[in-house]
Amino acid sequence: MPRRAVTRTAKLATLPLGFAGRTALGFGKRTIGRPAEAVALEVQRRTAEQLFSVLGELKGGAMKVGQLLSIFEAGLPEEVAAPFRASLTRLQEAAPPMPAATTHEVLAEGLGEDWRDRFAEFDDRPAAAASIGQVHKAVWHDGRTVAVKVQYPGAADALMSDFNQISRLSRVITPLFPGVEVKPVVADLKRRLQKELDYVDEARAQTAFHDAYAGDPDFVVPAVVAQSGNVLVTEWLDGTPLAKVIAGGTQEERDRAGLLLFRFLLSGPSRCEMIHIDPHPGNFRLLDDGRLGVLDFGGAAHVPDELQWSIGRLLRIGTLGDPDAIVDALWEEGFLAPDAEVDPEEVAALVTPHAAPFAVDRFRYTREWMREQTSRGLGLAADMRPGALARQFRLPPQYLAVSRALAGGGGVLCQLEAEGDYRAEAERWLPGFADDDGPDLDDQTEATA
C-alpha cells in the first residue's frame, strides 16, 4: 500500500484535474453541435475509467469508496454501467498482495512469535485482497479450516489520508451518481471505517451476529476463532460469491439470493439490534444448500427498538401514498426542515416510488427501476432554487447507517434483478410496518414479566 501522504495526494489530485479537462472537452463538443446528453455520457464514462484506475492503485480508503460506489451502478445508464462494472472488476482483482514476510510480521505482532504453532497449515498466498487487509486460508490447530484476516501495515494512516482527500473530491464523484449526495455518505463511511480498522470491535459484532443466527436455516455467519491486534481468525466459508450470481446465476439463484440478502438486512435489528451496513456483493456467498453466507462485520451499526419501529412506520406510510400523512411523518422524524414549506403532492410523488417494492405481494428489482429513481433524484437535486424541494430535505443522523444499508442492499437487488415478496419480509421484521400504533411499553413489560 502506498503510504507516503504526498504520493497518495498526488494520485488523488489527478481526479479533479482529469474531470476539469473532460468537462472543458464536453463544453467544446457541445459548441460544435454534439447533443448534450451524448457528451454527458462520455464524460461519465471517462470519469469512471480514471476514477477506478486511481482508486485501484491506492487500495485503502480509496478502494473502499470504489466498493461503496459500485453498489449504485445499477442506477447508471447502461452505456456507463458496463465500463463501470469492468473497471470495478479490475479494481477488485488487481490488488497486489503483501509480501509473505510482511504478512508474517503482522501475524507475529498479533498472535505472538509462535503464531505458526496455532495453525496446522497456513497458505502464504492470500485467498482474497480487500481494502484494508487480505485474507489467507489456513487450518487451525484443532482441524478447523479458517480465514485469517491480516490488516495492511500503515492502513489506518493511509485510510484517513485518503478520506481527507476524497471528501474534497465529491464534485468529481457526484456526476457519476446523480441524485446521490456523495459527500455525507463519504463522511459517514470515514466514521465507519475507523471502527472497521478495529478488529476487536469487528470480532465483537461478528460474534453477536453468529450467536443470533446460530442454526438458522437461511443464514451462516462464521464463528470468530481468535482475535488479537491486527489479526482476525474466523471459520472459513465456501460458496458462490454474490458477484458471480449477478454475472451468471440462474433466475432462481438470483431470486433466492436477493430475498435472503433483504431478509438478513431487515432481520438483524430484530434479532440482535444490529444491521450489516456494507452489503456489497463481495461480502456474501450463496451456499450449495441454499443458505446465504455473510462476511465482514466491521461496519455493523446499532439499531435500537424505537428506530426499528420508526423505519417500519415510515415505510408503511410510504406504501399508503397519503401525501399529508407522508409529509407529517417526514417532519416528525426530521427528514424535512422545521420551517420547510412543501407541496405534499410533490413530496408524495418523490417518496412513494421508493416504497413500491412493499406495496405489492411480489416485486422485481431491476436496473430500469433503479434508473427511474436515480433520474427522479437527479431532477430533484438539479432544482436548487430558493424553496425548491431539494433544499427542504435532511437526513437525520440516526438514519444514516440504516439508509446506507438499505440503499446499498437495494442496489444489489437491482444488480441481481431479483423478484420476491418483500412486503412479507417488512411485515415480519419491521414492527412499525405491521402496526402503526407505536411500541407499547406496557405490553413489552408484561411479556417480559
Side-chain angles (χ1 to χ4, degrees):
M1 176 184 290
R3 279 185 278 177
R4 292 183 60 196
V6 65
T7 302
R8 302 179 72 82
T9 300
K11 287 182 179 294
L12 287 168
T14 64
L15 292 175
L17 292 174
F19 176 70
R22 284 186 297 276
T23 302
L25 173 65
F27 177 78
K29 288 184 176 180
R30 283 198 298 274
T31 62
I32 60 174
R34 285 199 63 189
E37 183 178 353
V39 173
L41 285 174
E42 183 175 340
V43 169
Q44 280 187 317
R45 179 181 61 78
R46 294 189 179 186
T47 299
E49 290 176 352
Q50 186 194 12
L51 175 67
F52 283 102
S53 174
V54 173
L55 297 187
E57 291 177 22
L58 291 176
K59 287 188 179 181
M63 184 172 173
K64 197 70 178 178
V65 170
Q67 292 174 341
L68 172 67
L69 296 181
S70 73
I71 292 170
F72 299 104
E73 66 88 4
L76 295 173
E78 184 58 30
E79 299 93 322
V80 177
F84 188 102
R85 287 192 293 271
S87 297
L88 179 66
T89 299
R90 291 196 300 270
L91 168 65
Q92 293 174 327
E93 294 179 350
M98 284 191 290
T102 305
T103 303
H104 296 169
E105 289 176 7
V106 179
L107 288 166
E109 290 174 4
L111 301 178
E113 293 296 334
D114 60 346
W115 64 270
R116 285 192 179 276
D117 294 340
R118 300 201 178 198
F119 298 95
E121 298 176 20
F122 185 88
D123 191 344
D124 281 338
R125 297 167 300 176
S131 54
I132 65 173
Q134 60 191 36
V135 177
H136 292 259
K137 189 173 185 178
V139 178
W140 198 238
H141 59 80
D142 63 4
R144 282 182 290 176
T145 303
V146 295
V148 185
K149 183 186 277 190
V150 181
Q151 192 172 118
Y152 299 129
D157 291 340
L159 290 175
M160 293 308 106
S161 174
D162 285 353
F163 273 92
N164 290 335
Q165 292 296 319
I166 292 171
S167 63
R168 302 186 186 108
L169 302 179
S170 58
R171 68 184 180 88
V172 179
I173 302 173
T174 298
L176 292 174
F177 303 95
V180 177
E181 291 187 64
V182 174
K183 192 170 183 178
V185 171
V186 171
D188 178 61
L189 189 64
K190 178 179 178 179
R191 291 191 295 271
R192 291 292 167 188
L193 198 55
Q194 288 172 328
K195 286 187 60 181
E196 196 169 334
L197 285 162
D198 183 355
Y199 282 0
V200 175
D201 187 79
E202 181 173 350
R204 186 184 302 117
Q206 183 159 341
T207 298
F209 274 95
H210 171 77
D211 292 346
Y213 288 89
D216 192 277
D218 293 326
F219 306 103
V220 177
V221 177
V224 173
V225 176
Q227 188 285 315
S228 183
N230 290 329
V231 179
L232 175 62
V233 183
T234 66
E235 292 177 336
W236 182 265
L237 187 64
D238 284 313
T240 303
L242 210 56
K244 288 189 176 181
V245 178
I246 291 172
T250 65
Q251 191 59 53
E252 182 180 1
E253 289 172 333
R254 292 168 179 270
D255 293 345
R256 175 69 176 170
L259 184 64
L260 290 182
L261 171 60
F262 187 79
R263 182 176 297 166
F264 187 78
L265 293 177
L266 257 63
S267 64
S270 175
R271 296 176 70 162
C272 59
E273 289 198 347
M274 300 182 77
I275 190 168
H276 188 296
I277 66 168
D278 199 9
H280 72 77
N283 288 336
F284 299 92
R285 302 282 186 273
L286 191 61
L287 278 59
D288 291 341
D289 61 9
R291 292 182 295 172
L292 186 70
V294 188
L295 306 170
D296 197 346
F297 293 85
H302 177 61
V303 185
D305 288 343
E306 296 82 1
L307 184 56
Q308 295 175 37
W309 180 84
S310 296
I311 293 167
R313 172 176 173 261
L314 285 173
L315 193 59
R316 176 178 178 272
I317 291 172
T319 64
L320 297 177
D322 183 328
D324 292 327
I326 290 173
V327 169
D328 288 344
L330 292 176
W331 251 320
E332 185 177 335
E333 293 297 326
F335 284 90
L336 290 172
D339 59 347
E341 296 182 4
V342 298
D343 178 354
E345 297 288 344
E346 186 180 7
V347 174
L350 176 69
V351 171
T352 52
H354 291 277
F358 317 104
V360 294
D361 290 338
R362 291 192 69 80
F363 182 85
R364 179 179 295 281
Y365 280 91
T366 65
R367 286 184 164 88
E368 288 74 20
W369 180 80
M370 176 66 82
R371 287 169 193 147
E372 289 176 7
Q373 313 318 311
T374 302
S375 177
R376 188 176 291 107
L378 173 60
L380 174 67
D383 185 1
M384 295 305 293
R385 297 169 298 172
L389 190 58
R391 291 180 177 270
Q392 314 303 316
F393 270 94
R394 304 288 187 272
L395 183 57
Q398 68 271 26
Y399 282 93
L400 200 53
V402 172
S403 295
R404 176 185 159 193
L406 297 181
V412 176
L413 289 173
C414 288
Q415 291 176 319
L416 285 164
E417 304 221 334
E419 180 178 344
D421 189 350
Y422 301 105
R423 177 183 176 87
E425 297 300 316
E427 290 175 342
R428 179 181 180 185
W429 300 111
L430 295 177
F433 188 86
D435 177 11
D436 193 36
D437 294 332
D440 192 326
L441 297 182
D442 291 336
D443 287 349
Q444 291 179 11
T445 302
E446 290 175 6
T448 304

